[in-house]
Amino acid sequence: MHMARLQGKIALVTGSGRGIGRSIALKLAREGAKVVVNDLDAEPGDAVVAEIEGLGGDAVAVNGSVAEAGFADRFVGAALERFGGLDIIVNNAGYTWDSTIQKMTDEQFQAMLDVHLVAPFRILRAAAEPIRVFAKQEAEQGREVFRKIVNISSIAGLYGNAGQASYSSAKASLVGLTRTLCKEWGRYKVNVNCVAFGLINTRLTQPIEAQQKTIDVAGHEIKVGVQPPMLEMMARMIPLGRGGTPEEAADAVYLFCSPESNYISGQVVVAGGGLIV
Ligand SMILES: NC(=O)c1ccc[n+]([C@@H]2O[C@H](COP(=O)([O-])OP(=O)(O)OC[C@H]3O[C@@H](n4cnc5c(N)ncnc54)[C@H](O)[C@@H]3O)[C@@H](O)[C@H]2O)c1
């Protein structure tokens, strides 16, 4: 029999309408967590809520951009109002908007900081007071309850990547935020860790074909995908021989949401099939 490891936990996952975030939301739900789902538009977020409900789980969607003013309070507020708590936060929402530095606009640079760094900061700041209050109550009851923050970074943030001055700067900064909150929130029994992905097969990393795919973010058509020769080179460089699946990516995040990681905090783990850049 499968023993659910996160029974009764309340998890918030940004950008969970598609890709890795969706797999994280489903994985946590299968382990018994109630999930606050989010995506830019209502359709993908609502679809994941329906999938979780179809599994017999409980979920609610708080849609809209994580970069919007007021989003963090709505998101954290939904967990408290709908489920009465807050145990796991996964800062996953994001996209790439690449250019070499000479072509990179201020808007492009700022957009990457906003979604990958400022939004996680605001969400964690909004969660600080409820976490402090819960932790105080639990301490008074003599209970040690671990909460989990997982920030999603990238090998681009750790080692750099040509064309990603903005993205890699934001993803590197997220590591700083992770390590600082590990120190601020240890007293509240919060494990704050970072999972940095290598190559995971999602729409962001699909092979660029004759017609390059675009994604729509706040009215901008942004080109996504990776040139096939680059994908072939990466596959050769990855010791495990291929890119990861969104499910494998979600499994790595799950490690830092589970009780088995209760004594691990402030760490960055690369989920990249052994890739060392
Ligand atoms: N795929 C990879 O190889 C890879 C590698 C390293 C890091 N990452 C990171 O993993 C995370 C997930 O990426 P993915 O590959 O699953 O991409 P994806 O495009 O498949 O899924 C990301 C989801 O986030 C949503 N999103 C984007 N901006 C948002 C915003 N402002 N507010 C709310 N939702 C928003 C998108 O609509 C999408 O549904 C991102 O932070 C990405 O930078 C991915």
Side-chain angles (χ1 to χ4, degrees), residues 18 20 38-39 65-66 92 167 171 198 200 202-205:
R18 293 188 193 84
I20 297 167
N38 151 264
D39 212 283
S65 173
V66 294
N92 164 81
Y167 177 81
K171 288 299 202 191
I200 307 296
T202 69
R203 64 181 190 156
L204 292 186
T205 52

Side-chain angles (χ1 to χ4, degrees), residues 51-64:
E51 266 187 279
I52 291 174
E53 287 171 350
L55 295 169
D58 206 349
V60 65
V62 177
N63 294 313

Side-chain angles (χ1 to χ4, degrees), residues 144 146-148 191 255 257-265:
E144 214 177 28
F146 289 88
R147 289 187 169 75
K148 309 282 180 175
N191 304 108
L255 295 176
C257 298
S258 71
E260 282 74 10
S261 62
N262 283 353
Y263 203 61
I264 302 176
S265 196

Side-chain angles (χ1 to χ4, degrees), residues 21 23 43 79 101 113 117 123 135 138 142 144 196-197 208 219 221 225 256-257 259 266:
S23 293
E43 193 269 321
I101 195 163
L113 292 186
L117 178 64
I123 290 167
E138 289 150 5
E144 214 177 28
F197 294 123
I208 296 175
E221 270 202 17
F256 294 103
C257 298

Side-chain angles (χ1 to χ4, degrees), residues 14-22 38-41 44 64-68 71 91-96 115-116 152-156 167 171 195-205 215-217 246:
T14 63
S16 45
R18 293 188 193 84
I20 297 167
R22 170 178 167 273
N38 151 264
D39 212 283
L40 275 174
D41 308 307
S65 173
V66 294
E68 272 167 24
F71 174 80
N91 280 306
N92 164 81
Y95 59 100
T96 48
V115 70
H116 294 287
I152 302 304
S153 188
S154 165
I155 50 169
Y167 177 81
K171 288 299 202 191
V195 174
F197 294 123
L199 176 67
I200 307 296
N201 299 321
T202 69
R203 64 181 190 156
L204 292 186
T205 52
I215 59 169
D216 176 32
V217 181

Side-chain angles (χ1 to χ4, degrees), residues 91 120-121 123-125 127-128 131 149 151 174-188 190-193 265-266:
N91 280 306
F121 153 70
I123 290 167
L124 297 172
R125 182 177 59 182
I131 286 176
I149 310 296
N151 292 322
L174 196 53
V175 174
L177 182 62
T178 302
R179 294 202 167 122
T180 290
L181 279 194
C182 155
K183 294 186 175 176
E184 289 189 11
W185 286 2
R187 66 166 88 168
Y188 304 138
V190 185
N191 304 108
V192 191
N193 291 295
S265 196

